[in-house]
Amino acid sequence: MTADPVTRYAVTRNACKLCAPLGACLVFRGVSGAVPLLHGSQGCATYIRRYTISHFREPMDVASSSFTEEAAIFGGQAHLEAALRNVIHQYRPQLVGVATTCLSETIGDDVAGFLQQFRDAHAQQELPPIVHVSTPSYEGSHEEGFRATVRAIVEQLADSESADDSSGPTRINLLPGMISPADIRQLREILEDFGVSATVLPDYADTLDGPAWDGYQRIPQGGTPLESIRRMANANLTIEFGPSGEPATMASDWLADQFEVPCHTQDLPIGILLSDKFFQAVEAVSGALVPPKYLEQRGRLVDAYIDGHKVVSGKRAIVYGEQDLVVALTQFLCEIGVQPVLCASGGRSGKLEHRLKGMFSAGEMPSVREGADFAEIEELSEAAEPDLLIGNSKGYKLARKLGIPLVRIGFPIHDRFGAARIMCLGYRGTQQLFDRIVNAILQYKQESSAIGFSYL
Amino acid sequence: MPKGVDIPILSERQAQIHQAGGAGQIECEKKSLAGAVSQRACVFCGSRVVLYPVADALHLVHGPIGCAAYTWDIRGALSSGPELHRLSFSTDLSTMDVIYGGEKRLYQALTELIGAYEPKAAFVYSTCIVGLIGDDVNAVCARVSREQGIPVLPVHSEGFKGTKKDGYRAACDALSQLVGTGSTDAVPRLSINILGEFNIAGEAWIIRDYYERMGLHVVSTITGDGRVDDIRRAHGASLNVVQCSGSMIHLAKTMEAEYGVPYLRASFFGLEDTAKALYDVAEHFDDPELLERTRQLVRDEMAAIVPQLQTYRKKLAGKRAGIYTGGAFKAFSLVRALRNLDVATVLAGSQTGKREDYQQLQSLCDPGTILVDDTNPLELARFVQEKRVDLLIGGVKERPIAYKLGVAFCDHNHERKIPLAGFVGMLNFAHEVHASVSSPVWKFAARNQTSRQTYAPQDMEANP
């Protein structure tokens, strides 16, 4: 690699990440009957709602404890209690998910203690479970907030004493991370086709991509049922998409530790290799063979790879976004012959380079950036000379400036329709992603050609 | 039982809901109730939206990343020149900064950014934790201002220190530090500033063109298509025309007190309000030729659009609308504009209306209209259903409420990309409303289906 051409700024310019409470809200939206409640200023909830609604085009109610100056000075207990009472009265939730913010964390509110007092004070009433997660916005990004919330839900609800039907089908916990509703739906279908009973957490397939309603639903239908979450302690396997060797943050590690549920951790199943890995894991635990329909999907995908390989061969791509997404996309690009030239993420795990290393032989490693912002990606793009960008819609300005295609994937997608229905997982999702990449390059060639062939 | 009635209203919210013509008065100007799921944002939001369109200033958000990330390039506020406002800068405070303080990082960030982007001024927005970790933002701003030779203005917009309105005030305080620092030598007598016009989709250009055709010099639009140097000499204008009065009235009052610039309130939404905004200004200057030019302008503009408006009016007649806006002033205009289209307003409210605003709103609406202050999704859903609303007007957060219920929607918030101000804006508004209301898709909406076709929860695939 040549000398670093980029000045390291003290400031973040056009962030390539969001804050941790957003991740928490998404996860809580994926639990049946849950309402997310942010313990902080009113603005956090409202901004996160707007940002999320603009992507999914679905209602996204997030409550707030609506801090005032007095609360910031004397503590937010009274506000949190009022918020809980009002949320419970208005929404009749099956669960309230309380996530903290930079404000409540900085003043040192003992939220766990507040919640215990609240439960004690309302011992006569039947309160819904209240899950608490610490998500200060100055620590980690939305990706870490998402993961911490999945872990918090499992830690606080999974229960080995819950009804265990060991005579039933194989039970799998699937913790897929931040993926689209369409991909959640697809994963559910795959597991169903294997004949296993799956608990997908979170499951916002229906809450964030639901049908038109007859009358208003206070909390959209769908989401992981609480009873299923409780029974996660008794599953035969937990599959979690994310980094391996992170026992402090992964819910799968916790379930293994506490309840001896075996776990299979792998990167998001994008591309053939990672999808194979996923299908093999399900095959192994279920004892069922991969259903023929998936072998057919795989076959068609291999056929498409071959049909399209020349279009993508040697193309140079910049990949950015959440680290889990960047890692899996990079692996996929390698397998189709696209050369990743810059892999960037706004998050800072310290592990990104390590996770990518195995995919490249010596000397071929792309530039890898953690804590990157879009200004830095733009500066690095000069040396990287990319042919295309792959990531969320916030990269549009750069794609426009460089005059190259942007293949939109991940979160947020604020400038296109149908974000909830974009797939990239499994053979079927990879097929769609591959088609989109090939077509993006074809369209670019066609539009930048002086001749304008209609037959390519 | 009409649909929606089973949605409970929180007891502490009931006084903020009022039926036009009913006894008593609506309560308002309260802090949002915890857990109520207010549609309001925070103090920071108020400051950010007001200052956002100043296109040659640096906007640095001092805090953890969220506040800057969620406000990156979200307003449809256009610039005819520099576009520094469309970039997002944050000190992106991390745990270490929270422990040891963020002043150093702030100083370094400002120094780097001013060096790299050469702005005419810098606004530094304080977010929630800045005061709590003990940062002296004023001192850092003063130091950088001395060193770099440009105004570096702290905006005290900690999210929890009040409501969005307090954020407007903090923004006005920052702006008033700029006003009065430029030369007014070349400013003619027949001159105005347009305050509270943010140039969403180029609206400030439409309004500015009207006043220029009337023969007035527009010193500055604050803050739409805003420039630091124009704001600095804004005190040279003879009159402030204040739209969206909630956000900018504080600056207008400050300028009246400090520089003797009088102000009048205006709205540029709808035919009547736009015409009035032009006539009021013309009358202020007491110049017969100016008045005549204004009459001519209004005649010409009206003649150009009224026939098309009539077509829309016929198609929209008898429809029922719900309105939920940030400031109440826009709601007044919308009630009148909708009436021009023969659409009745049956539900109206705002995030930040004052008591006198609601009195005026009530007087504009038909008896029985539901008025809501600082409402929330459940209340809106309830009244949209109860009042059989055909069309909801609001912003992105209100849109899914309408669409889920099979109700038409028109975005009148700051993210929109279509100009709705002025005479031409009224035509666009009618077009927007009509495009949604008249769509054939509503016949498939669940509420218009027979029971057999209606989506039922048991049809949904359960997560076992």
Side-chain angles (χ1 to χ4, degrees):
Chain A
M1 258 173 62
T2 49
D4 189 342
V6 173
T7 325
R8 280 287 176 173
Y9 276 71
V11 63
T12 296
R13 299 167 299 156
N14 301 339
C16 185
K17 62 175 176 181
L18 304 160
C19 69
L22 182 138
C25 292
L26 278 181
V27 173
F28 286 129
R29 179 93 300 189
V31 175
S32 175
V35 174
L37 194 173
L38 292 182
H39 186 39
S41 286
Q42 177 60 48
C44 312
T46 305
Y47 274 131
I48 286 169
R49 288 177 60 205
R50 187 192 55 79
Y51 210 82
T52 311
I53 290 170
S54 303
H55 174 91
F56 291 102
R57 296 167 194 270
E58 291 283 328
M60 176 73 179
D61 291 5
V62 178
S64 169
S65 56
S66 308
F67 261 66
T68 56
E69 279 197 89
E70 300 78 58
I73 296 165
F74 301 112
Q77 183 168 15
H79 279 254
L80 181 58
E81 289 179 351
L84 285 166
R85 278 194 304 272
N86 287 331
V87 164
I88 290 167
H89 183 65
Q90 266 198 124
Y91 286 88
R92 293 184 209 145
Q94 293 169 43
L95 179 136
V96 183
V98 177
T100 57
T101 61
C102 49
L103 175 54
S104 52
E105 292 280 349
T106 303
I107 65 170
D109 267 2
D110 171 20
V111 174
F114 295 170
L115 293 180
Q116 198 45 56
Q117 288 179 42
F118 182 81
R119 287 186 197 104
D120 293 346
H122 294 79
Q124 311 302 323
Q125 275 171 262
E126 207 166 299
L127 284 184
I130 305 168
V131 169
H132 157 229
V133 59
S134 169
T135 45
S137 342
Y138 47 75
E139 210 177 282
S141 69
H142 60 299
E143 187 171 16
E144 281 81 18
F146 190 103
R147 183 163 294 143
T149 308
V150 173
R151 167 110 173 195
I153 291 171
V154 171
E155 277 187 19
Q156 292 167 51
L157 293 180
D159 176 7
S160 59
E161 303 297 307
S162 68
D164 180 20
D165 181 14
S166 51
S167 62
T170 306
R171 296 165 40 82
I172 289 185
N173 303 321
L174 176 59
L175 313 174
M178 211 169 139
I179 63 174
S180 77
D183 271 330
I184 294 181
R185 212 169 277 131
Q186 187 201 187
L187 291 173
R188 275 194 335 214
E189 188 185 320
I190 292 171
L191 294 171
E192 224 166 77
D193 289 344
F194 267 100
V196 302
S197 163
T199 299
V200 182
L201 177 71
D203 182 354
Y204 42 76
D206 300 308
T207 56
L208 286 174
D209 187 23
W213 294 339
D214 185 15
Y216 202 77
Q217 298 179 9
R218 281 180 248 199
I219 303 170
Q221 303 259 348
T224 321
L226 291 188
E227 195 40 46
S228 304
I229 299 173
R230 292 200 179 94
R231 290 168 54 190
M232 287 174 95
N234 298 322
N236 301 86
L237 179 72
T238 304
I239 298 178
E240 185 160 16
F241 299 147
S244 54
E246 300 274 326
T249 59
M250 303 284 278
S252 52
D253 283 301
W254 190 84
L255 283 165
D257 242 31
Q258 298 289 315
F259 304 113
E260 294 172 356
V261 181
C263 64
H264 167 83
T265 310
Q266 70 158 84
D267 294 321
L268 285 162
I270 305 178
I272 289 176
L273 292 176
L274 288 169
S275 297
D276 283 352
K277 213 170 170 182
F278 169 65
F279 276 91
Q280 280 156 14
V282 183
E283 203 175 42
V285 68
S286 67
L289 292 174
V290 177
K293 103 180 194 201
Y294 296 102
L295 296 175
E296 288 160 18
Q297 285 178 9
R298 189 183 189 280
R300 284 196 296 272
L301 179 59
V302 171
D303 191 60
Y305 272 14
I306 293 167
D307 290 342
H309 77 280
K310 275 198 161 171
V311 177
V312 300
S313 180
K315 293 290 180 228
R316 300 163 65 84
I318 291 180
V319 190
Y320 58 84
E322 294 86 24
Q323 299 205 346
D324 285 354
L325 183 65
V326 167
V327 168
L329 281 173
T330 302
Q331 171 88 65
F332 158 69
L333 293 175
C334 289
E335 88 181 15
I336 61 169
V338 170
Q339 188 188 349
V341 286
L342 170 61
C343 303
S345 175
R348 291 178 198 270
S349 68
K351 304 276 169 60
L352 185 58
E353 183 151 1
H354 174 76
R355 290 175 74 183
L356 294 171
K357 235 174 197 161
M359 301 172 197
F360 299 91
S361 46
E364 285 183 356
M365 189 72 183
S367 184
V368 177
R369 291 296 165 137
E370 294 201 24
D373 57 32
F374 279 101
E376 186 185 353
I377 295 172
E378 181 172 335
E379 283 158 10
L380 286 165
S381 70
E382 254 179 60
E385 296 182 336
D387 297 303
L388 76 159
L389 300 182
I390 304 179
N392 61 58
S393 71
K394 298 298 165 188
Y396 172 68
K397 284 186 170 190
L398 176 58
R400 183 183 166 101
K401 190 184 166 207
L402 297 174
I404 61 174
L406 164 64
V407 176
R408 288 169 178 79
I409 195 157
F411 179 92
I413 295 173
H414 281 166
D415 64 351
R416 284 292 183 276
F417 190 67
R421 295 179 287 276
I422 292 178
M423 291 169 66
C424 66
L425 301 188
Y427 306 120
R428 188 147 67 97
T430 302
Q431 179 75 72
Q432 293 188 8
L433 177 61
F434 183 71
D435 289 350
R436 291 174 64 216
I437 291 174
V438 171
N439 283 328
I441 296 170
L442 289 178
Q443 184 178 350
Y444 172 78
K445 276 189 179 168
Q446 189 174 40
E447 285 174 0
S448 51
S449 139
I451 304 159
F453 286 114
S454 61
Y455 180 88
L456 295 173
Chain B
M1 186 167 73
K3 275 181 186 141
V5 178
D6 61 326
I7 295 175
I9 305 292
L10 295 170
S11 56
E12 284 165 279
R13 289 262 328 128
Q14 278 167 0
Q16 283 165 278
I17 299 166
H18 185 76
Q19 195 154 32
Q25 282 188 323
I26 191 167
E27 271 196 29
C28 53
E29 295 192 88
K30 294 173 75 173
K31 287 168 182 164
S32 296
L33 179 64
V37 191
S38 167
Q39 305 289 86
R40 283 181 187 164
C42 58
V43 179
F44 166 73
C45 170
S47 295
R48 190 78 182 93
V49 294
V50 165
L51 296 174
Y52 180 94
V54 182
D56 57 355
L58 183 81
H59 300 267
L60 175 61
V61 182
H62 185 36
I65 196 61
C67 312
Y70 303 129
T71 54
W72 175 22
D73 203 24
I74 59 162
R75 293 202 87 183
L78 302 185
S79 166
S80 55
E83 291 199 314
L84 208 41
H85 66 303
R86 295 186 58 199
L87 303 177
S88 165
F89 300 118
S90 168
T91 48
D92 193 0
L93 297 181
S94 65
T95 311
M96 285 301 152
D97 302 308
V98 173
I99 296 168
Y100 297 109
E103 285 181 22
K104 260 190 191 165
R105 185 177 285 274
L106 175 61
Y107 171 79
Q108 207 185 336
L110 277 169
T111 307
E112 282 173 358
L113 289 171
I114 293 169
Y117 296 92
E118 298 176 350
K120 295 275 186 172
F123 295 106
V124 178
Y125 303 80
S126 290
T127 61
C128 284
I129 65 168
V130 167
L132 301 172
I133 63 174
D135 282 3
D136 187 345
V137 174
N138 286 359
V140 176
C141 288
R143 180 180 166 198
V144 176
S145 183
R146 269 197 315 276
E147 290 175 4
Q148 303 284 339
I150 62 164
V152 179
L153 305 164
V155 185
H156 296 290
S157 53
E158 290 88 344
F160 59 88
K161 286 191 173 172
T163 66
K164 195 169 166 187
K165 262 184 159 173
D166 298 286
Y168 295 153
R169 203 181 168 93
C172 288
D173 286 338
L175 286 170
S176 58
Q177 290 186 52
L178 280 180
V179 173
T181 59
S183 163
T184 58
D185 288 350
V187 178
R189 186 185 74 85
L190 290 182
S191 61
I192 59 169
N193 300 309
I194 307 171
L195 271 57
E197 167 49 61
F198 301 108
N199 203 30
I200 306 300
E203 287 173 345
W205 298 330
I206 295 171
I207 306 307
R208 191 182 181 114
D209 172 65
Y210 294 156
Y211 285 119
E212 286 176 355
R213 279 158 61 194
M214 285 160 56
L216 292 164
H217 176 77
V218 179
V219 181
S220 69
T221 46
I222 302 178
T223 55
D225 197 13
R227 297 294 181 278
V228 171
D229 285 346
D230 292 342
I231 298 167
R232 297 178 86 143
R233 60 195 198 102
H235 58 298
S238 305
L239 176 70
N240 278 332
V241 181
V242 190
Q243 186 183 226
C244 189
S245 60
S247 69
M248 281 284 176
I249 201 74
H250 180 59
L251 179 64
K253 284 179 177 167
T254 307
M255 286 176 70
E256 185 173 49
E258 287 188 18
Y259 306 102
V261 183
Y263 68 87
L264 56 82
R265 293 175 180 227
S267 166
F268 302 104
F269 294 118
L271 302 180
E272 291 158 89
D273 287 17
T274 303
K276 185 172 186 309
L278 303 182
Y279 283 132
D280 284 354
V281 171
E283 277 160 18
H284 171 86
F285 284 100
D286 196 20
D287 177 327
E289 285 178 28
L290 174 63
L291 194 58
E292 184 43 42
R293 283 195 297 271
T294 308
R295 286 199 185 106
Q296 190 59 45
L297 184 150
V298 172
R299 270 198 299 272
D300 292 349
E301 292 286 333
M302 294 282 264
I305 62 159
V306 164
Q308 288 179 76
L309 273 183
Q310 289 305 332
T311 320
Y312 286 124
R313 186 184 155 92
K314 275 180 203 145
K315 291 177 178 168
L316 292 168
K319 296 291 179 189
R320 301 156 66 86
I323 297 170
Y324 192 63
T325 57
F329 230 60
K330 193 193 272 180
F332 307 157
S333 298
L334 284 170
V335 173
R336 284 191 280 256
L338 288 165
R339 191 164 287 150
N340 278 331
L341 297 171
D342 209 1
V343 174
T345 301
V346 294
L347 165 65
S350 75
Q351 291 176 13
T352 57
K354 291 190 287 197
R355 177 153 291 181
E356 55 266 35
D357 296 337
Y358 286 113
Q359 277 166 355
Q360 190 175 345
L361 189 57
Q362 179 165 214
S363 69
L364 284 170
C365 292
D366 297 327
T369 299
I370 300 280
L371 304 181
V372 287
D373 175 66
D374 187 19
T375 191
N376 61 35
L378 291 187
E379 290 171 7
L380 277 174
R382 173 181 170 139
F383 294 121
V384 163
Q385 292 176 100
E386 233 176 272
K387 302 299 287 184
R388 290 177 291 111
V389 165
D390 302 302
L391 163 74
L392 186 65
I393 300 178
V396 170
K397 292 188 301 293
E398 288 80 33
R399 186 180 62 200
I401 299 168
Y403 284 175
K404 275 291 170 196
L405 293 172
V407 168
F409 179 77
C410 172
D411 189 347
H412 212 299
N413 203 8
H414 63 147
E415 290 164 323
R416 68 197 142 81
K417 305 293 183 281
I418 298 159
L420 302 178
F423 300 102
V424 63
M426 179 64 195
L427 192 58
N428 291 340
F429 175 65
H431 177 81
E432 279 286 292
V433 166
H434 176 256
S436 188
V437 169
S438 68
S439 168
V441 301
W442 303 121
K443 68 173 176 287
F444 301 108
R447 71 166 180 153
N448 298 323
Q449 296 280 290
T450 61
S451 59
R452 182 179 270 277
Q453 296 162 306
T454 304
Y455 155 78
Q458 61 265 28
D459 294 344
M460 200 155 64
E461 194 185 324
N463 188 331

